[in-house]
Amino acid sequence: MYRETQIIESAKTTSPNGGPDAVDDGALVINVGPQHPATHGVLHLVITLQGETIQKIEPHLGYIHRSIEKMCESLSYRQFIYVTSRMDYLSAHINNHGCALCVEKGLQLEVPPRAQVIRVLMDELTRIASHELWWGAMAMDLGAFTPFFYAFRERETINDIMEETCGARLTMNYMVPGGVMYDIHPNFQKRVKDFIQLFTNKIDEYDDLVTGNIIFQNRTQGVGVLTAADAISYGCTGPVARGSGVACDIRKLYPYEVYNKVAFDEIIETAGDSYARYLVRIKELKQSVRIVEQLIDNIPEGDFQAKTKAVLKLPKGEFYSRVETARGEFGVYIVSEGGTTPYRIKFRSPGFSNLSALDHISRGCKIGDLMAIMGTLDLVIPDIDR
Amino acid sequence: MTNEEIKQHIITGLPNASFDETGEWLQVLVPVDAWKQFAQWLRSDALQMDFLFCLTCVDWAATPAGKALLTMVYHFTSTVFRHTLVVKVKLDRNNPEIETISDCWRTAEMHEREVFDLFGVQFLHHPDLRRLVLTDDFEGHPLRKDFEDPINMIKL
């Protein structure tokens, strides 16, 4: 018997009769995933349907659980950062950034201004790349194939820029405690400026293609409504919570690096439906471009890395740092016993909390709407499983 | 609200709570039998800690002082007042039991399942306490310090 079959059998029996979660007679239990094109990864949802209406969604996780937290307990403070690129691989830079910040907090290390600006530039380019992939994939989930190629055309340019400076296209591992690993490539500034010039008009093109499309609007407006109170209770962050009117941008609330010196707006929509979450991300693209524009000509001269000891040792204590990834608040909680490896490390990943709201917001929706809801939650599975 | 004001608030409701101000945020250690009431009070009272942004557990078995100790760590913040509080609850490592708070913060349901899965903490009155990432027949709790897996774990 397959594991999936077992899960379906248990889903039927574990629901108590008469309770709010009870499966009515005639209900149909189906699997979406773990190999389903619209889940973009090995996410497995067991869905209870009444006709076409969703009664209940049960996420089953762990298909790519690698126990990264346990792994980190035996890696040094320099080594563990590389593992985190493999969690939310679309925000690899930002994950690395969060970890580097946490180690720096423990060491009370000052990062040189040049490194700070490079880090923020990389973060924002990553955010653009991540949102582009989301935009293309989301449109594809809803049946529009062309946007995917449009999005990847521009995303490719960012990947090339990353490759030139960091040596990798997806799992970058560029940020280290104390700064960044290498200085930027001599072509970096020119190529980023070329990209920005190219990209600014493209956002309008995206709007023409998808945002204003009446079919797209009908499929997303009023679908999967998450209220502000629920968003907070479910621990949602990032564009998911901001689509519900919750101000939660870490870059604004607890600014790190040079985010308090650049001008950008926190995008907040109040409708809470899939369309609102979509709008937040599309508008964030423009804000990220704004940040890059302000910084690209103002990279200060100086060191790209602070002087650090060969072996890093954090003092005994607890350290927590957080950054805003493309998906929301990414937190790193390190418990140190004074050694060269973390005693315990916990990654508070945004996707995990955002996923927990899926069951709540999908109940009562049609099964076709589920793709729109999952698309706008922007789930990255390794980020959830870890 | 400042740390001092939060402290005064907590002391009036829970006189035997102990505090630690060495970290970034105010930390309070709550006895396990007072935890549920304290959590409900955090959520509803003047503190309005409505956002639970991190819930985890630490196993102290590898330290000399904590042979039989697990600590639950809850990070709360208030989206209204923007103050943050870290709550810790010490559990008996051989029989870890604590009341669930998934009825106060919905995000706790999944996080508690994860802690149950990886640390073996029993959350009383949890609506759906099953393993989250590991298979149902998995033996042991991997994030505990004494967990051994000679095949899959590489020790450096």
Side-chain angles (χ1 to χ4, degrees), chain B residues 32-84:
Chain B
V32 66
D33 48 345
W35 161 239
K36 181 73 179 190
Q37 214 184 351
F38 183 75
Q40 285 166 340
W41 178 77
L42 275 184
R43 172 87 217 222
S44 58
D45 201 65
L47 291 175
Q48 295 204 26
M49 297 288 185
D50 50 0
F51 183 42
L52 171 66
F53 63 91
C54 187
L55 185 163
T56 189
C57 185
V58 183
D59 181 11
W60 294 102
T63 58
K67 279 279 174 262
L69 185 65
L70 288 177
T71 313
M72 289 297 300
V73 186
Y74 301 85
H75 286 72
F76 293 103
T77 196
S78 165
T79 55
V80 185
F81 301 116
R82 292 285 164 212
H83 51 220
T84 305

Short mmCIF file of all heavy atoms in Angstrom, two decimals, chain B residues 32-84:
data_model
loop_
_atom_site.label_atom_id
_atom_site.label_comp_id
_atom_site.label_asym_id
_atom_site.label_seq_id
_atom_site.Cartn_x
_atom_site.Cartn_y
_atom_site.Cartn_z
N VAL B 32 5.37 25.40 34.49
CA VAL B 32 4.57 24.72 33.47
C VAL B 32 3.09 24.66 33.85
O VAL B 32 2.21 24.74 32.98
CB VAL B 32 5.16 23.33 33.16
CG1 VAL B 32 5.07 22.39 34.35
CG2 VAL B 32 4.49 22.70 31.96
N ASP B 33 2.79 24.58 35.14
CA ASP B 33 1.36 24.48 35.52
C ASP B 33 0.64 25.82 35.39
O ASP B 33 -0.58 25.86 35.33
CB ASP B 33 1.21 23.88 36.92
CG ASP B 33 2.14 24.55 37.92
OD1 ASP B 33 3.06 25.23 37.46
OD2 ASP B 33 1.95 24.38 39.14
N ALA B 34 1.40 26.91 35.34
CA ALA B 34 0.75 28.22 35.20
C ALA B 34 0.73 28.68 33.74
O ALA B 34 0.21 29.75 33.42
CB ALA B 34 1.47 29.26 36.05
N TRP B 35 1.27 27.86 32.84
CA TRP B 35 1.54 28.32 31.48
C TRP B 35 0.27 28.67 30.71
O TRP B 35 0.18 29.73 30.10
CB TRP B 35 2.37 27.26 30.75
CG TRP B 35 2.34 27.38 29.26
CD1 TRP B 35 1.92 26.46 28.38
CD2 TRP B 35 2.74 28.52 28.48
NE1 TRP B 35 2.04 26.92 27.11
CE2 TRP B 35 2.52 28.20 27.13
CE3 TRP B 35 3.23 29.80 28.78
CZ2 TRP B 35 2.80 29.07 26.09
CZ3 TRP B 35 3.50 30.68 27.75
CH2 TRP B 35 3.29 30.31 26.43
N LYS B 36 -0.73 27.79 30.74
CA LYS B 36 -1.90 28.00 29.92
C LYS B 36 -2.62 29.29 30.27
O LYS B 36 -2.94 30.11 29.42
CB LYS B 36 -2.85 26.81 30.08
CG LYS B 36 -4.10 26.90 29.24
CD LYS B 36 -3.80 26.65 27.77
CE LYS B 36 -5.08 26.73 26.95
NZ LYS B 36 -4.87 26.27 25.58
N GLN B 37 -2.79 29.48 31.59
CA GLN B 37 -3.47 30.68 32.05
C GLN B 37 -2.67 31.93 31.68
O GLN B 37 -3.20 32.94 31.24
CB GLN B 37 -3.64 30.59 33.56
CG GLN B 37 -4.89 31.22 34.07
CD GLN B 37 -4.96 31.19 35.58
OE1 GLN B 37 -4.14 30.55 36.22
NE2 GLN B 37 -5.92 31.88 36.13
N PHE B 38 -1.35 31.81 31.82
CA PHE B 38 -0.47 32.93 31.49
C PHE B 38 -0.57 33.27 30.01
O PHE B 38 -0.63 34.45 29.63
CB PHE B 38 0.97 32.55 31.86
CG PHE B 38 1.95 33.66 31.64
CD1 PHE B 38 2.02 34.73 32.51
CD2 PHE B 38 2.82 33.61 30.56
CE1 PHE B 38 2.92 35.75 32.30
CE2 PHE B 38 3.73 34.63 30.35
CZ PHE B 38 3.78 35.70 31.23
N ALA B 39 -0.62 32.24 29.16
CA ALA B 39 -0.68 32.47 27.72
C ALA B 39 -1.98 33.18 27.34
O ALA B 39 -1.96 34.13 26.56
CB ALA B 39 -0.58 31.13 26.98
N GLN B 40 -3.07 32.72 27.94
CA GLN B 40 -4.35 33.37 27.63
C GLN B 40 -4.35 34.82 28.09
O GLN B 40 -4.89 35.70 27.41
CB GLN B 40 -5.49 32.61 28.30
CG GLN B 40 -5.81 31.31 27.60
CD GLN B 40 -6.69 30.39 28.41
OE1 GLN B 40 -6.77 30.52 29.62
NE2 GLN B 40 -7.31 29.44 27.74
N TRP B 41 -3.68 35.05 29.20
CA TRP B 41 -3.61 36.40 29.74
C TRP B 41 -2.74 37.29 28.84
O TRP B 41 -3.06 38.45 28.59
CB TRP B 41 -3.03 36.31 31.16
CG TRP B 41 -2.84 37.61 31.84
CD1 TRP B 41 -3.80 38.38 32.42
CD2 TRP B 41 -1.61 38.29 32.02
NE1 TRP B 41 -3.24 39.50 32.94
CE2 TRP B 41 -1.90 39.47 32.72
CE3 TRP B 41 -0.28 38.02 31.67
CZ2 TRP B 41 -0.92 40.39 33.07
CZ3 TRP B 41 0.69 38.92 32.03
CH2 TRP B 41 0.38 40.09 32.71
N LEU B 42 -1.65 36.73 28.31
CA LEU B 42 -0.80 37.49 27.39
C LEU B 42 -1.58 37.97 26.18
O LEU B 42 -1.42 39.08 25.70
CB LEU B 42 0.33 36.60 26.86
CG LEU B 42 1.60 36.41 27.64
CD1 LEU B 42 2.55 35.56 26.83
CD2 LEU B 42 2.25 37.74 27.96
N ARG B 43 -2.43 37.06 25.68
CA ARG B 43 -3.16 37.34 24.46
C ARG B 43 -4.23 38.41 24.67
O ARG B 43 -4.45 39.29 23.85
CB ARG B 43 -3.80 36.04 23.97
CG ARG B 43 -4.76 36.17 22.83
CD ARG B 43 -4.03 36.10 21.53
NE ARG B 43 -4.60 36.99 20.55
CZ ARG B 43 -4.78 36.68 19.29
NH1 ARG B 43 -4.41 35.52 18.84
NH2 ARG B 43 -5.29 37.55 18.45
N SER B 44 -4.91 38.33 25.82
CA SER B 44 -6.12 39.14 25.96
C SER B 44 -5.89 40.43 26.73
O SER B 44 -6.52 41.43 26.47
CB SER B 44 -7.20 38.32 26.67
OG SER B 44 -6.71 37.93 27.93
N ASP B 45 -4.98 40.41 27.66
CA ASP B 45 -4.86 41.55 28.56
C ASP B 45 -4.23 42.76 27.88
O ASP B 45 -4.12 42.81 26.66
CB ASP B 45 -4.03 41.11 29.77
CG ASP B 45 -4.29 42.00 30.97
OD1 ASP B 45 -5.41 42.01 31.49
OD2 ASP B 45 -3.35 42.72 31.36
N ALA B 46 -3.83 43.70 28.68
CA ALA B 46 -3.29 44.95 28.18
C ALA B 46 -2.04 44.75 27.32
O ALA B 46 -1.65 45.63 26.57
CB ALA B 46 -2.97 45.87 29.34
N LEU B 47 -1.40 43.58 27.43
CA LEU B 47 -0.18 43.37 26.67
C LEU B 47 -0.45 43.11 25.18
O LEU B 47 0.36 43.46 24.33
CB LEU B 47 0.62 42.20 27.25
CG LEU B 47 1.23 42.43 28.62
CD1 LEU B 47 1.88 41.16 29.12
CD2 LEU B 47 2.25 43.54 28.57
N GLN B 48 -1.57 42.46 24.86
CA GLN B 48 -1.96 42.18 23.48
C GLN B 48 -0.86 41.57 22.63
O GLN B 48 -0.53 42.05 21.56
CB GLN B 48 -2.49 43.45 22.79
CG GLN B 48 -3.75 43.94 23.43
CD GLN B 48 -4.57 44.79 22.49
OE1 GLN B 48 -4.49 44.66 21.28
NE2 GLN B 48 -5.34 45.68 23.05
N MET B 49 -0.30 40.48 23.13
CA MET B 49 0.72 39.76 22.38
C MET B 49 0.04 38.89 21.33
O MET B 49 -0.20 37.71 21.54
CB MET B 49 1.54 38.87 23.32
CG MET B 49 2.30 39.62 24.37
SD MET B 49 3.67 40.46 23.62
CE MET B 49 4.49 41.12 25.05
N ASP B 50 -0.30 39.48 20.20
CA ASP B 50 -1.12 38.73 19.25
C ASP B 50 -0.32 37.97 18.20
O ASP B 50 -0.86 37.17 17.47
CB ASP B 50 -2.12 39.66 18.56
CG ASP B 50 -1.46 40.91 18.01
OD1 ASP B 50 -0.24 41.03 18.16
OD2 ASP B 50 -2.16 41.75 17.44
N PHE B 51 0.97 38.21 18.13
CA PHE B 51 1.76 37.61 17.06
C PHE B 51 2.84 36.71 17.66
O PHE B 51 3.76 37.19 18.32
CB PHE B 51 2.38 38.73 16.20
CG PHE B 51 3.16 38.25 15.01
CD1 PHE B 51 2.70 37.21 14.23
CD2 PHE B 51 4.34 38.87 14.65
CE1 PHE B 51 3.42 36.78 13.13
CE2 PHE B 51 5.07 38.44 13.56
CZ PHE B 51 4.60 37.40 12.79
N LEU B 52 2.66 35.41 17.49
CA LEU B 52 3.65 34.44 17.96
C LEU B 52 4.57 34.16 16.79
O LEU B 52 4.21 33.44 15.87
CB LEU B 52 2.93 33.18 18.41
CG LEU B 52 3.76 31.94 18.75
CD1 LEU B 52 4.61 32.19 19.97
CD2 LEU B 52 2.86 30.76 18.99
N PHE B 53 5.75 34.74 16.78
CA PHE B 53 6.56 34.62 15.57
C PHE B 53 7.57 33.49 15.62
O PHE B 53 8.13 33.14 14.59
CB PHE B 53 7.21 35.94 15.16
CG PHE B 53 8.21 36.54 16.12
CD1 PHE B 53 9.55 36.24 16.01
CD2 PHE B 53 7.79 37.41 17.09
CE1 PHE B 53 10.47 36.81 16.88
CE2 PHE B 53 8.70 37.96 17.96
CZ PHE B 53 10.03 37.67 17.85
N CYS B 54 7.80 32.92 16.78
CA CYS B 54 8.71 31.79 16.81
C CYS B 54 8.33 30.90 17.98
O CYS B 54 8.06 31.39 19.07
CB CYS B 54 10.15 32.27 16.93
SG CYS B 54 11.36 30.97 16.77
N LEU B 55 8.25 29.61 17.72
CA LEU B 55 7.95 28.66 18.79
C LEU B 55 8.92 27.51 18.60
O LEU B 55 8.98 26.91 17.53
CB LEU B 55 6.51 28.16 18.64
CG LEU B 55 5.91 27.24 19.71
CD1 LEU B 55 4.40 27.24 19.57
CD2 LEU B 55 6.41 25.83 19.67
N THR B 56 9.71 27.22 19.61
CA THR B 56 10.64 26.12 19.45
C THR B 56 10.99 25.52 20.80
O THR B 56 10.44 25.90 21.82
CB THR B 56 11.91 26.58 18.70
OG1 THR B 56 12.69 25.44 18.39
CG2 THR B 56 12.73 27.53 19.52
N CYS B 57 11.88 24.58 20.78
CA CYS B 57 12.26 23.86 21.98
C CYS B 57 13.77 23.68 21.96
O CYS B 57 14.39 23.62 20.90
CB CYS B 57 11.56 22.50 21.96
SG CYS B 57 11.79 21.53 23.44
N VAL B 58 14.37 23.64 23.14
CA VAL B 58 15.81 23.41 23.25
C VAL B 58 16.03 22.23 24.19
O VAL B 58 15.46 22.18 25.27
CB VAL B 58 16.54 24.66 23.78
CG1 VAL B 58 18.04 24.42 23.82
CG2 VAL B 58 16.24 25.87 22.93
N ASP B 59 16.84 21.29 23.74
CA ASP B 59 17.19 20.14 24.57
C ASP B 59 18.53 20.42 25.24
O ASP B 59 19.52 20.65 24.55
CB ASP B 59 17.27 18.89 23.69
CG ASP B 59 17.62 17.66 24.52
OD1 ASP B 59 17.58 17.75 25.76
OD2 ASP B 59 17.92 16.61 23.92
N TRP B 60 18.55 20.38 26.57
CA TRP B 60 19.78 20.74 27.29
C TRP B 60 20.58 19.51 27.72
O TRP B 60 21.48 19.62 28.53
CB TRP B 60 19.44 21.59 28.52
CG TRP B 60 18.88 22.91 28.13
CD1 TRP B 60 17.57 23.28 28.15
CD2 TRP B 60 19.61 24.05 27.63
NE1 TRP B 60 17.43 24.57 27.68
CE2 TRP B 60 18.66 25.06 27.37
CE3 TRP B 60 20.96 24.30 27.38
CZ2 TRP B 60 19.02 26.30 26.85
CZ3 TRP B 60 21.31 25.54 26.87
CH2 TRP B 60 20.36 26.53 26.61
N ALA B 61 20.26 18.35 27.15
CA ALA B 61 20.89 17.12 27.63
C ALA B 61 22.41 17.11 27.45
O ALA B 61 23.10 16.41 28.18
CB ALA B 61 20.29 15.93 26.90
N ALA B 62 22.93 17.86 26.51
CA ALA B 62 24.38 17.84 26.28
C ALA B 62 25.13 18.79 27.19
O ALA B 62 26.35 18.90 27.11
CB ALA B 62 24.68 18.16 24.83
N THR B 63 24.42 19.51 28.06
CA THR B 63 25.10 20.39 29.00
C THR B 63 25.09 19.74 30.38
O THR B 63 24.18 18.98 30.70
CB THR B 63 24.40 21.76 29.09
OG1 THR B 63 23.05 21.54 29.48
CG2 THR B 63 24.43 22.48 27.77
N PRO B 64 26.11 20.05 31.21
CA PRO B 64 26.16 19.39 32.52
C PRO B 64 24.96 19.73 33.40
O PRO B 64 24.47 18.88 34.15
CB PRO B 64 27.45 19.95 33.14
CG PRO B 64 28.14 20.75 32.10
CD PRO B 64 27.23 20.92 30.95
N ALA B 65 24.44 20.96 33.26
CA ALA B 65 23.38 21.38 34.18
C ALA B 65 22.00 20.88 33.77
O ALA B 65 21.08 20.89 34.57
CB ALA B 65 23.36 22.90 34.27
N GLY B 66 21.85 20.46 32.52
CA GLY B 66 20.49 20.19 32.04
C GLY B 66 20.24 18.78 31.58
O GLY B 66 19.59 18.55 30.58
N LYS B 67 20.73 17.83 32.34
CA LYS B 67 20.59 16.43 31.94
C LYS B 67 19.15 16.01 31.70
O LYS B 67 18.88 15.17 30.85
CB LYS B 67 21.21 15.52 33.02
CG LYS B 67 22.72 15.41 32.90
CD LYS B 67 23.14 14.40 31.85
CE LYS B 67 24.65 14.38 31.63
NZ LYS B 67 25.02 15.18 30.47
N ALA B 68 18.24 16.56 32.45
CA ALA B 68 16.84 16.13 32.34
C ALA B 68 15.93 17.31 32.03
O ALA B 68 14.87 17.47 32.60
CB ALA B 68 16.41 15.44 33.62
N LEU B 69 16.38 18.15 31.11
CA LEU B 69 15.66 19.40 30.91
C LEU B 69 15.41 19.68 29.43
O LEU B 69 16.30 19.56 28.60
CB LEU B 69 16.50 20.54 31.51
CG LEU B 69 15.90 21.93 31.54
CD1 LEU B 69 14.69 21.96 32.46
CD2 LEU B 69 16.93 22.93 32.00
N LEU B 70 14.17 20.03 29.12
CA LEU B 70 13.82 20.60 27.83
C LEU B 70 13.25 21.98 28.12
O LEU B 70 12.58 22.17 29.12
CB LEU B 70 12.75 19.78 27.12
CG LEU B 70 13.08 18.41 26.52
CD1 LEU B 70 11.80 17.81 25.96
CD2 LEU B 70 14.09 18.53 25.42
N THR B 71 13.52 22.94 27.26
CA THR B 71 12.93 24.25 27.45
C THR B 71 12.12 24.64 26.23
O THR B 71 12.63 24.61 25.11
CB THR B 71 14.01 25.33 27.66
OG1 THR B 71 14.94 24.84 28.62
CG2 THR B 71 13.42 26.61 28.17
N MET B 72 10.86 24.96 26.43
CA MET B 72 10.05 25.53 25.35
C MET B 72 10.34 27.02 25.29
O MET B 72 10.41 27.69 26.32
CB MET B 72 8.56 25.33 25.61
CG MET B 72 8.06 23.91 25.48
SD MET B 72 8.23 23.26 23.81
CE MET B 72 7.22 24.40 22.87
N VAL B 73 10.53 27.54 24.09
CA VAL B 73 10.81 28.97 23.92
C VAL B 73 9.75 29.57 22.99
O VAL B 73 9.56 29.09 21.88
CB VAL B 73 12.21 29.20 23.32
CG1 VAL B 73 12.54 30.68 23.29
CG2 VAL B 73 13.26 28.45 24.10
N TYR B 74 9.06 30.56 23.49
CA TYR B 74 8.02 31.23 22.71
C TYR B 74 8.43 32.69 22.53
O TYR B 74 8.75 33.38 23.48
CB TYR B 74 6.67 31.21 23.43
CG TYR B 74 6.14 29.83 23.74
CD1 TYR B 74 6.52 29.15 24.89
CD2 TYR B 74 5.22 29.21 22.90
CE1 TYR B 74 6.02 27.90 25.19
CE2 TYR B 74 4.71 27.96 23.19
CZ TYR B 74 5.12 27.31 24.33
OH TYR B 74 4.62 26.07 24.61
N HIS B 75 8.42 33.16 21.29
CA HIS B 75 8.70 34.57 21.02
C HIS B 75 7.39 35.25 20.64
O HIS B 75 6.79 34.92 19.62
CB HIS B 75 9.67 34.72 19.85
CG HIS B 75 11.09 34.37 20.19
ND1 HIS B 75 11.50 33.08 20.40
CD2 HIS B 75 12.18 35.15 20.35
CE1 HIS B 75 12.80 33.08 20.66
NE2 HIS B 75 13.24 34.31 20.65
N PHE B 76 6.99 36.18 21.48
CA PHE B 76 5.75 36.91 21.21
C PHE B 76 6.06 38.35 20.88
O PHE B 76 7.01 38.93 21.41
CB PHE B 76 4.84 36.93 22.44
CG PHE B 76 4.29 35.60 22.82
CD1 PHE B 76 4.82 34.89 23.88
CD2 PHE B 76 3.24 35.07 22.12
CE1 PHE B 76 4.30 33.66 24.23
CE2 PHE B 76 2.72 33.83 22.47
CZ PHE B 76 3.24 33.13 23.53
N THR B 77 5.23 38.92 20.02
CA THR B 77 5.30 40.36 19.85
C THR B 77 3.88 40.88 19.70
O THR B 77 2.96 40.12 19.42
CB THR B 77 6.20 40.74 18.66
OG1 THR B 77 6.54 42.12 18.75
CG2 THR B 77 5.54 40.48 17.34
N SER B 78 3.72 42.16 19.93
CA SER B 78 2.40 42.76 19.81
C SER B 78 2.39 43.64 18.57
O SER B 78 3.22 44.54 18.44
CB SER B 78 2.09 43.59 21.05
OG SER B 78 0.98 44.41 20.78
N THR B 79 1.45 43.38 17.67
CA THR B 79 1.39 44.25 16.48
C THR B 79 0.74 45.59 16.82
O THR B 79 0.76 46.50 16.02
CB THR B 79 0.57 43.57 15.36
OG1 THR B 79 -0.71 43.24 15.88
CG2 THR B 79 1.23 42.32 14.86
N VAL B 80 0.19 45.69 18.02
CA VAL B 80 -0.44 46.95 18.44
C VAL B 80 0.61 47.86 19.09
O VAL B 80 0.79 49.01 18.71
CB VAL B 80 -1.60 46.68 19.42
CG1 VAL B 80 -2.32 47.97 19.75
CG2 VAL B 80 -2.56 45.66 18.84
N PHE B 81 1.32 47.28 20.09
CA PHE B 81 2.26 48.10 20.86
C PHE B 81 3.70 47.94 20.41
O PHE B 81 4.58 48.68 20.85
CB PHE B 81 2.17 47.75 22.34
CG PHE B 81 0.81 47.96 22.93
CD1 PHE B 81 0.09 46.90 23.43
CD2 PHE B 81 0.26 49.23 22.98
CE1 PHE B 81 -1.17 47.10 23.97
CE2 PHE B 81 -0.98 49.43 23.52
CZ PHE B 81 -1.71 48.37 24.01
N ARG B 82 3.97 46.91 19.60
CA ARG B 82 5.33 46.66 19.10
C ARG B 82 6.32 46.31 20.21
O ARG B 82 7.49 46.68 20.14
CB ARG B 82 5.86 47.86 18.32
CG ARG B 82 5.15 48.08 17.02
CD ARG B 82 5.56 47.09 15.99
NE ARG B 82 4.61 47.07 14.88
CZ ARG B 82 4.32 45.97 14.18
NH1 ARG B 82 4.89 44.83 14.47
NH2 ARG B 82 3.46 46.01 13.19
N HIS B 83 5.87 45.68 21.28
CA HIS B 83 6.83 45.17 22.25
C HIS B 83 6.96 43.67 22.11
O HIS B 83 6.07 43.00 21.60
CB HIS B 83 6.46 45.58 23.68
CG HIS B 83 5.06 45.26 24.06
ND1 HIS B 83 4.28 46.11 24.79
CD2 HIS B 83 4.27 44.21 23.76
CE1 HIS B 83 3.08 45.56 24.95
NE2 HIS B 83 3.06 44.42 24.33
N THR B 84 8.11 43.16 22.53
CA THR B 84 8.41 41.75 22.33
C THR B 84 8.72 41.11 23.66
O THR B 84 9.30 41.74 24.54
CB THR B 84 9.61 41.61 21.37
OG1 THR B 84 9.30 42.31 20.17
CG2 THR B 84 9.88 40.16 21.04
#
